[in-house]
Amino acid sequence: MQGFVAAIYLVLFAAPSTFSSHGIVAASPIYNVINYGAIGNGVDDDTQAFVKAWGDSCGDSGARGTPTLVVPGGKKFKLSPVSFKGPCKSSSFIVKIDGTLVAPSSPSEWKGCSADSWLVFQDVANLNVKGSGQVDGQGSLWWGGAKNNNKTVSQALSFFHCINLVLSGLQHINSPKNHISISGCDGGTISNLRISAPETSPNTDGIDISSTNHLNIQELNIQTGDDCIAINGNSSYITITGVSCGPGHGISIGSLGEHGISDTVEGVQVQHCTFTGSTNGARIKTWQGGSGYAKGITFDQITLNAVKNPIIIDQFYTNEASSVAVSNVTYTGFRGTSASDQAIILSCSSIGCLDIRLDNNMITSSTPGKTVTSWCKNAHGSATLTTPRVRCLLK
Ligand SMILES: *[C@@H]1O[C@H](CO)[C@@H](O)[C@H](O)[C@H]1NC(C)=O
Ligand SMILES: *[C@@H]1O[C@H](CO)[C@@H](O)[C@H](O)[C@H]1NC(C)=O
Ligand SMILES: *[C@@H]1O[C@H](CO)[C@@H](O)[C@H](O)[C@H]1NC(C)=O
């Protein structure tokens, strides 16, 4: 009895927000996948249970509180490729993942599915995906070239057409391709994730963003075989703070303008990030023959530990007339070491990179006693208080 009373107190004081002003319990409706037949032994396929739980929870009006799809901890749920599609009836939606979601280990088990992604959330507004769980893409056979239905790779977790997405707390491992892909979204925060795959795994970007505006990314730890974060075309106002990256290919704007398309990226702020043993730090990468622009980009307070290309703009320029225009890019407060001799590379097409500013940067070699240099082509702007000296930008 005492335990029961204590439990009541615990509920009263630990979760006052579940009580309305009238003193009536208004707990969020919970849709636990176990109650829909999920087994969670890592062997049986639990996809249908998740689909049923999604159907019910997405159809909940939200009148009793925000519907919450619960994946309990201590269990491993094997899922085939599946889409969780909205719009849902409630104006907001919570997915709480404390257990492990695991992909089929063999691509042939993807059952003829031609999806680009293993798990998809689509057209859901105010979606909050959180928890202490793990999302395991079982990528190793895909990395070795295994195929399903002629498809060579698939990304693990995708969000399409989301408004105000919140994603936090989870651990993402071993995706066949991109771990997290965000496309066609507006608004949102991604925070406190750990993302990891072996340094040798191909195309395993941490977070891949495209056609998305107003996204806040903070406090992530990313170790992969490709870009830690890639910001692709038609994206704007993306802020990245407190990301620790490496091994991996760094934080990349692009590739933009591939196959002659027009891509635009504007208003990217990367600050207080640390790169360790990555192939790039701050990278802007465009293809020749494309069009559009990358502008209004700042990298500030960046710590480098033996990074191969700490600062790099690479337009792959040979002789094509058109290219994505790069302008108004600022690099400030870089501190640390470069693993290659050329710490700063500004390699631009004939239209030139304009208004490139470097100020207060100090990059030295990770090999004691060695000096590092910079290299430019068609770059314009200014460099102050920066080591190595960037001669092409000195007035
Ligand atoms: C896979 O590709 C081969 C050769 O291009 C083609 O003949 C076959 O129909 C494709 N299979 C599927 C399932 O798409
Ligand atoms: C950006 O928009 C252009 C024009 O609408 C389109 O051709 C291009 O494919 C888009 N890029 C991406 C990455 O979606
Ligand atoms: C350059 O970009 C910054 C954001 O990084 C923006 O505030 C500023 O207005 C831009 N300047 C010009 C001349 O476009």
Side-chain angles (χ1 to χ4, degrees), residues 2-24:
Q2 246 176 9
F4 177 68
V5 172
I8 294 268
Y9 274 100
L10 203 70
V11 167
L12 274 172
F13 294 108
S17 65
T18 60
F19 293 80
S20 76
S21 53
H22 306 291
I24 297 162

Side-chain angles (χ1 to χ4, degrees), residues 210-211 232-234 261-264:
S210 61
S211 304
N232 295 296
N234 310 331
I261 65 169
S262 171
D263 275 332
T264 63

Side-chain angles (χ1 to χ4, degrees), residues 188-203:
T189 302
I190 298 178
S191 63
N192 296 297
L193 305 179
R194 285 168 299 149
I195 303 175
S196 64
E199 186 174 2
T200 51
S201 60
N203 303 311

